[in-house]
Amino acid sequence: MTQRQLDWAAAQLGSTVVEATPLLGGVEAVVHRVTLADGRDVVVRVFDNGGAWGPEHEIVALRALAGVAIPMPQLLAADGTGDQAGLPTVVLSWMPGAIDYEQSPSVVGAALEPVLRTLADVPITDDLRALPDELAYAVGKVAGPCSAKVATLPDAEELWAGLRAIAPSRDTPRTFAHGDIWTGNVLWEGGRLTGIIDWSDACLAEPARDRAPARVDLVVLHGDGAEDHVEPAPHQAFWDAWYAVTLVVMLPEWWPGYAPIHDGLTLDEAKARALRLAHRALG
């Protein structure tokens, strides 16, 4: 993060920056905890990735969901184009808590259930209709040949045919989805869920799509069968297998973010667990 982004954030908030501390972030943004002279702590996310990802979906989601009963950050300032800050940048309220990869699957499932149900009930406003249609994308992809990356997987054609066979209808009603609820985007404090962060993958799909990352990640972290602690929704088998296959082909790129959280887990074992889940889902 550059001084330009710090100066922009400070100007938006009407204070000066005292300290900026790097935080563990994903592949889409550089993230800092910024302490202001007025005593506030905020989070500044700078999307320094050559345009591969941007904050536009996070901006839409956080604005549309303001006031919804979910522990989530408030959007305090946004430069979606980077014209002012130099790069696309958002400023968010600070959320208490920390990532806890040792939290038991049963506790995770129970804590996420009201969040997932609330997200599925969010009214689809005109603003939210601008989000990517993940259902149409996934159904369209499995209707064609598997990608070159998927083709490298063991039993790739079997997996792809299985996905095609159980894909939901394109006419399935859409619901709002966070899109990336996994260990690294859930904060805990004293055994209590305190925050859902990183809303840049917000999309339109169906409830099972939002449950799939949590279910797959529990398996990657805790082993076969851990997905059962997050209740399934209609078409869950499709979305579990879809997300598991996506995870396997993307894990080498995502591993720097995964490895510090999934302590002691190897990349090969993480991929193997996800693939086993995909095969279980597809029968």
Side-chain angles (χ1 to χ4, degrees):
M1 183 168 60
T2 67
Q3 189 62 47
R4 180 176 177 180
Q5 280 114 40
L6 285 174
D7 290 344
W8 171 82
Q12 297 302 303
L13 300 175
S15 187
T16 57
V17 173
V18 174
E19 185 178 12
T21 305
L23 299 174
L24 179 67
V27 296
E28 77 275 9
V30 175
V31 187
H32 284 73
R33 177 178 183 170
V34 173
T35 300
L36 301 170
D38 60 15
R40 284 181 291 171
D41 283 325
V42 298
V43 172
V44 178
R45 283 164 52 83
V46 179
F47 289 73
D48 184 12
N49 50 55
W53 286 272
E56 59 271 14
H57 302 150
E58 181 164 63
I59 293 169
V60 167
L62 292 179
R63 283 177 176 164
L65 271 64
V68 173
I70 293 173
M72 58 190 290
Q74 296 177 327
L75 181 66
L76 303 178
D79 178 9
T81 62
D83 291 342
Q84 302 170 58
L87 286 168
T89 304
V90 295
V91 183
L92 310 173
S93 61
W94 174 256
M95 299 293 294
I99 296 166
D100 184 1
Y101 61 83
E102 295 182 346
Q103 196 64 256
S104 72
S106 60
V107 171
V108 172
L112 285 179
E113 187 59 30
V115 172
L116 291 165
R117 290 187 180 187
T118 299
L119 287 174
D121 288 338
V122 169
I124 305 301
T125 62
D126 287 343
D127 287 344
L128 289 180
R129 289 190 182 93
L131 292 174
D133 188 336
E134 178 75 3
L135 190 148
Y137 173 77
V139 172
K141 288 292 288 185
V142 300
C146 60
S147 68
K149 286 185 176 180
V150 174
T152 65
L153 301 180
D155 303 319
E157 292 300 330
E158 177 186 342
L159 287 168
W160 210 246
L163 281 164
R164 185 182 299 117
I166 64 170
S169 166
R170 292 177 181 268
D171 296 331
T172 299
R174 300 328 192 245
T175 58
F176 174 82
H178 172 282
D180 198 22
I181 297 179
W182 67 289
T183 301
N185 288 334
V186 181
L187 303 180
W188 302 85
E189 189 172 65
R192 181 176 62 90
L193 189 155
T194 57
I196 304 293
I197 59 175
D198 190 354
W199 294 74
S200 57
D201 286 324
C203 61
L204 300 180
E206 58 178 329
R209 169 61 181 85
D210 233 6
R211 291 168 181 269
R215 287 167 58 89
V216 175
D217 188 59
L218 284 177
V219 168
V220 171
L221 184 57
H222 297 281
D224 297 351
E227 72 272 20
D228 294 337
H229 292 281
V230 174
E231 294 181 16
H235 304 139
Q236 195 66 60
F238 173 83
W239 289 109
D240 282 358
W242 168 262
Y243 188 81
V245 169
T246 301
L247 180 69
V248 170
V249 299
M250 296 299 294
L251 259 179
E253 179 181 349
W254 293 348
W255 195 244
Y258 255 81
I261 295 167
H262 296 80
D263 191 29
L265 184 67
T266 67
L267 174 59
D268 286 344
E269 178 57 21
K271 292 166 68 174
R273 291 179 181 182
L275 275 177
R276 289 198 298 270
L277 172 57
H279 281 288
R280 286 200 303 278
L282 296 173

